[in-house]
């Protein structure tokens, strides 16, 4: 099997996912185009050499529908012969898009591909594309459907994480993100977003709250109490996990991932393709994996898929220098560390989605780029990137510098 190398990785800053956010005026197409154009310009890329563009998008409807990958490539002035495909594996869509693009190279069918993702959450709301799982009793009842926030609180309850535990992790995420920005750790990958007049709309992650502390978080009420108690989902959680007597609600906006807008792109190719465009590979895709997990607790997929991908790569945690676990909710990361007896020193070292936000279809590709930049900064070799996924799944990728 051929090797797939990473030649470049870029992302937009994350804009606050509300009508007053700095990127709200930019369409989903505009965000994706920004990332693709940056890849092209930074590599002085002859786009006729690009065999495919794969973009994740979780709610591909309205302005984000109609195969946003193909249309974005056209809008970014790629050649007419460059195809594109949109994929959706919920929160892991961006990482899976990279994996899909890499798999095409590893299979020997393509030489140069781009993987990435986009989501404009201020313009196309969460759940805009609908879905049978929450609303069709034929599947919802037997799979114990519940909203992700209830699942996050179920994890905290089942595995013993208190309100202080999840809030302390949220403060850590904010502190690390602020430090990373102050030290310029993201500067090599961030591409500013401009308006039609070339004026910069945003060049820095907008969702961060560096002044966050335990006192300010303590003032926030848990977000999922009414949904759980009056909506009946606490009863569903207890039915699915009868070892739990009562769901303790600990998550709120301050210790959960932020709703934001953003896009990312990763240039992937064979060694021969890199030589043809005079680019030196930065890393290679060592292994990737997907897995399904119990849909009720839903968000523990990173644990199961990490075991799978490490086994596939014939590696252990001793072989991994950095870890990125998407901060969908604080309990997701805390449970991951608990399951593998890890400390936080090499995990999410530059903060994560609690501080900077989670643009659903783009996050996985963003995390991969962040991990690669950090490996280069500290002179280390390997990183694991993993995300939990709606409906109970996990995706993971291991990269290795070359």
């Amino acid at each position: 099997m051929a090797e797939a190398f990473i030649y470049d990785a870029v992302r937009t800053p994350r804009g606050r996912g509300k009508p007053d956010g700095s990127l709200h005026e930019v369409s989903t197409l505009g965000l994706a185009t920004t990332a693709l154009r940056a890849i092209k310009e930074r590599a002085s890329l002859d786009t006729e050499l690009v065999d495919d563009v794969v973009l994740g998008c979780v709610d591909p409807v309205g302005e984000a529908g109609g195969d946003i990958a193909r249309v974005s490539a056209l809008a970014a002035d790629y050649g007419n012969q460059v195809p594109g495909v949109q994929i959706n594996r919920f929160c892991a869509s961006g990482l899976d898009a990279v994996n899909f693009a890499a798999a095409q190279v590893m299979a020997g069918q393509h030489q140069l591909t781009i993987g990435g993702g986009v989501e404009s959450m201020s313009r196309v709301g969460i759940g805009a594309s609908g879905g049978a799982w929450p609303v069709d009793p034929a599947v919802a009842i037997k799979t114990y459907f519940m909203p992700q926030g209830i699942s996050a609180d179920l994890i905290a309850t089942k595995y013993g994480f208190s309100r202080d535990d999840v809030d302390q992790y949220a403060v850590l995420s904010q502190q690390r993100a602020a430090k990373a920005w102050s030290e310029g750790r993201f500067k090599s990958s961030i591409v500013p977003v401009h308006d039609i007049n070339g004026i910069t709309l945003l060049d820095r992650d907008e969702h961060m709250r560096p002044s966050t502390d335990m006192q300010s978080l303590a003032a926030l009420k848990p977000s999922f109490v009414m949904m759980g108690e009056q909506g009946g989902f606490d009863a569903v959680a207890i039915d699915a996990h009868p070892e739990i007597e009562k769901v303790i609600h600990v998550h709120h906006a301050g210790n959960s991932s932020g709703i934001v807008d953003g896009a990312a792109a990763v240039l992937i190719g064979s060694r021969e393709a890199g030589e043809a465009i005079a680019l030196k590979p930065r890393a290679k895709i060592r292994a990737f994996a997907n897995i399904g997990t119990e849909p009720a607790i839903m968000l523990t997929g990173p644990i199961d898929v990490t075991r799978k991908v490490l086994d596939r790569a014939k590696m252990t945690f001793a072989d991994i220098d950095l870890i990125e676990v998407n901060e969908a909710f604080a309990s997701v990361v805390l449970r991951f560390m608990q399951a593998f007896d890890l400390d936080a020193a090499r995990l999410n070292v530059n903060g994560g989605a609690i501080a900077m936000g989670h643009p659903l279809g783009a996050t996985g590709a963003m995390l991969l780029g962040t991990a690669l930049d950090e490996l280069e900064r500290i002179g280390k070799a390997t990183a694991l990137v993993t995300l939990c996924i709606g409906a109970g799944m996990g995706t993971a990728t291991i990269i290795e510098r070359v």
Side-chain angles (χ1 to χ4, degrees):
M1 181 165 37
E3 292 183 309
F5 294 93
I6 301 169
Y7 289 97
D8 201 6
V10 301
R11 73 170 177 92
T12 69
R14 300 169 173 99
R16 192 169 55 250
K18 296 182 178 180
D20 62 351
S22 295
L23 297 182
H24 177 65
E25 70 178 73
V26 183
S27 68
T28 308
L29 176 65
L31 292 174
T33 299
T34 297
L36 291 180
R37 185 173 287 127
I39 282 285
K40 179 184 70 171
E41 292 175 352
R42 284 161 54 119
S44 299
L45 185 62
D46 177 0
T47 62
E48 290 187 2
L49 300 175
V50 177
D51 292 307
D52 204 3
V53 175
V54 187
L55 294 184
C57 184
V58 174
D59 280 297
V61 296
E63 69 176 44
D67 192 354
I68 192 71
R70 166 62 172 169
V71 181
S72 298
L74 293 173
D77 299 318
Y78 282 48
N80 289 340
Q81 79 287 348
V82 179
V85 60
Q86 172 269 327
I87 68 166
N88 178 14
R89 202 191 298 272
F90 299 136
C91 294
S93 298
L95 185 59
D96 248 336
V98 173
N99 293 342
F100 282 29
Q104 293 174 337
V105 174
M106 296 165 80
Q109 301 305 301
H110 290 331
Q111 292 296 308
L112 195 65
T113 58
I114 295 173
V118 62
E119 210 79 42
S120 178
M121 301 180 74
S122 71
R123 297 170 64 96
V124 183
I126 295 177
S129 57
W133 183 41
V135 299
D136 190 334
V139 65
I141 293 173
K142 71 178 183 179
T143 58
Y144 299 96
F145 167 78
M146 62 186 82
Q148 286 193 359
I150 305 295
S151 293
D153 285 340
L154 173 59
I155 291 171
T157 303
K158 181 177 174 68
Y159 295 103
F161 304 124
S162 68
R163 171 68 183 261
D164 280 352
D165 291 333
V166 292
D167 282 357
Q168 284 173 357
Y169 183 80
V171 171
L172 178 63
S173 181
Q174 294 282 358
Q175 291 173 341
R176 285 177 163 179
K179 180 178 175 64
W181 269 105
S182 69
E183 295 182 355
R185 297 186 188 181
F186 302 129
K187 64 182 180 181
S188 65
S189 295
I190 292 286
V191 292
V193 181
H194 304 102
D195 67 10
I196 59 174
N197 297 312
I199 298 172
T200 299
L201 295 173
L202 191 65
D203 60 5
R204 182 181 178 87
D205 291 323
E206 188 176 31
H207 184 266
M208 296 184 299
R209 295 177 176 86
S211 62
T212 297
D213 56 24
M214 292 294 287
Q215 289 71 34
S216 62
L217 292 182
L220 300 177
K221 294 181 179 180
S223 297
F224 306 104
V225 174
M226 182 176 294
M227 188 181 295
E229 295 180 354
Q230 298 182 23
F233 288 109
D234 281 2
V236 176
I238 294 169
D239 197 25
H241 286 265
E243 70 275 14
I244 302 298
E245 294 183 3
K246 176 180 174 61
V247 177
I248 308 301
H249 294 284
V250 297
H251 286 92
H252 50 73
N255 56 35
S256 307
S257 57
I259 294 172
V260 293
D261 306 331
V266 180
L267 181 62
I268 300 163
S270 64
R271 188 178 295 277
E272 294 76 16
E275 293 171 352
I277 59 178
L279 285 183
K280 181 180 178 181
R282 297 172 62 187
K284 67 179 179 180
I285 304 290
R286 179 75 179 264
F288 56 83
N290 300 98
I291 204 166
T293 61
E294 189 219 325
I297 206 163
M298 196 187 315
L299 307 174
T300 57
I303 297 167
D304 299 306
V305 78
T306 292
R307 293 190 178 108
K308 183 175 181 178
V309 78
L310 287 173
D311 181 66
R312 179 166 292 171
K314 295 180 172 56
M315 300 172 74
T316 70
F317 273 109
D319 303 308
I320 302 295
D321 296 310
L322 288 175
I323 304 164
E324 288 284 339
V325 180
N326 187 37
E327 295 175 355
F329 299 90
S331 65
V332 172
V333 185
L334 293 176
R335 173 57 189 149
F336 185 92
M337 290 191 290
Q338 182 189 68
F340 294 116
D341 193 23
L342 301 171
D343 62 40
R346 55 181 171 147
L347 188 145
N348 296 358
V349 297
N350 292 318
I354 290 173
M356 293 177 285
H358 175 21
L360 304 178
T363 302
M366 288 184 171
L367 294 182
L368 186 140
T370 295
L372 177 54
D373 284 346
E374 184 65 11
L375 286 176
E376 292 175 340
R377 188 185 75 85
I378 64 176
K380 296 293 185 179
T382 58
L384 166 74
V385 180
T386 184
L387 301 91
C388 60
I389 308 173
M393 293 182 284
T395 294
T397 302
I398 296 173
I399 62 172
E400 181 178 2
R401 288 180 62 206
V402 295

